[in-house]
Amino acid sequence: MPTLTIIACRMFEDEIAYLMEEDNSVDNVIIIENDESYGIRDKLSKAGVDVETKTMVNLLNNPLPDNQFNIVIQILEFALHAIPKKLKDEVYTNTKRLTPISDGILLFYGLCGNVLSNIEQDFADYPCPVGILRENNGETVDDCIGAVLGGRQEYLDTLKSFKGEGAFFLTPMWAANWRDMLVSSGFGKDKNDIETSRYVFNQVGYKHVAKVDTGINYEKDFHDHVDEFANLFDFDILHVPANLNTLKQCYSNFKKELY
């Protein structure tokens, strides 16, 4: 039985937890312990999914059972997006480290400024397949927002529906971490620097917050966080439907390649 490793931005925490909760074929879920792992660990535990946490060293030196379907999850910090080269270096370094114990590695990332656009080709000669999130037409997803909207066309259609007025997208994970994400995205100097963020939003023409309700309810204060964000920046709230079929299909297709 295979070991599928998932390396992911923390913004995909909810979606990965949802996939694990729904997949009855998984025998073991192992989370690599780091500063970003507590969220998905707690969500899966509360959902009744048995999880085991291991350090990277422990995992690499103690083989997983080969008679069971194992999922290894490594969550990387979302602040890496602030420095594209650092993001690429971290993803590539961890992919290299985990290929020896994996039968396949699926990256829960999009193009992310194109820094990961060649990763499948770059790992083509490694002992296990490395994949990245793709749409049904084979195109790599743009980012975590495009992934939960269903793909690039759905993303573009949503943007067009705003009729030229800027909107800041909030998924449940974005909403729970919006202060830190604004700093990582260059919208503020620190997480309490609301005035700089407001100035930047005004300069780029943002007037709305696009509330993307994925239907995944691990973040219990999602609606309150969106309301807080909208009130602080005087934004209207636009309700945007999510579509998780692209993520589900990508995960399912990659699994089938391992059997």
Side-chain angles (χ1 to χ4, degrees), residues 24 28 36 61 63 66 72 83 99 113 134 152 190 197 200 209 211 231 235 239 249 258:
N24 295 325
N28 299 305
E36 310 298 321
N61 287 284
D66 57 11
V72 173
I83 307 175
T99 50
R134 293 188 176 276
R152 185 168 299 151
D190 62 64
S197 299
V200 175
V209 54
K211 182 179 182 180
N231 290 334
F235 285 169
H239 296 270
Q249 193 64 50
L258 305 185

Side-chain angles (χ1 to χ4, degrees), residues 26-180:
V26 178
D27 296 302
N28 299 305
V29 177
I30 300 97
I31 298 172
I32 297 176
E33 187 175 359
N34 59 27
D35 291 340
E36 310 298 321
S37 61
Y38 64 92
I40 193 167
R41 179 200 65 206
D42 292 348
K43 288 171 182 177
L44 284 172
S45 295
K46 289 177 181 177
V49 177
D50 291 331
V51 297
E52 183 179 0
T53 58
K54 290 189 175 186
T55 65
M56 178 70 82
V57 172
N58 186 318
L59 178 66
L60 296 178
N61 287 284
N62 293 278
L64 296 170
D66 57 11
N67 62 338
Q68 296 178 318
F69 179 33
N70 308 297
I71 297 283
V72 173
I73 301 171
Q74 184 185 37
I75 302 294
L76 301 181
E77 59 178 322
F78 47 67
L80 291 172
H81 288 76
I83 307 175
K85 183 181 183 304
K86 187 176 181 181
L87 170 62
K88 181 177 180 178
D89 288 346
E90 284 291 312
V91 173
Y92 272 61
T93 295
N94 284 285
T95 301
K96 289 175 184 176
R97 293 182 74 185
L98 290 164
T99 50
I101 60 99
S102 306
D103 294 294
I105 296 177
L106 179 58
L107 305 173
F108 271 68
Y109 281 94
L111 290 173
C112 300
N114 284 326
V115 299
L116 300 177
S117 58
N118 295 320
I119 193 165
E120 292 179 338
Q121 298 93 309
D122 291 340
F123 281 89
D125 294 330
Y126 275 68
C128 76
V130 174
I132 196 167
L133 293 177
R134 293 188 176 276
E135 301 180 30
N136 291 334
N137 61 8
E139 296 289 333
T140 306
V141 302
D142 286 322
D143 53 30
C144 58
I145 301 299
V148 299
L149 292 181
R152 185 168 299 151
Q153 188 58 54
E154 289 79 3
Y155 206 167
L156 289 173
D157 290 344
T158 300
L159 292 173
K160 288 178 183 178
S161 73
F162 301 155
K163 299 179 180 178
E165 295 184 339
F168 196 88
F169 287 84
L170 290 182
T171 63
M173 274 298 290
W174 265 89
N177 299 279
W178 69 261
R179 291 178 182 271
D180 292 323

Side-chain angles (χ1 to χ4, degrees), residues 215-228:
I216 302 173
N217 299 314
Y218 301 123
E219 292 293 338
K220 301 302 181 183
D221 297 323
F222 172 49
H223 304 291
D224 291 338
H225 288 315
V226 175
D227 289 343
E228 176 194 25

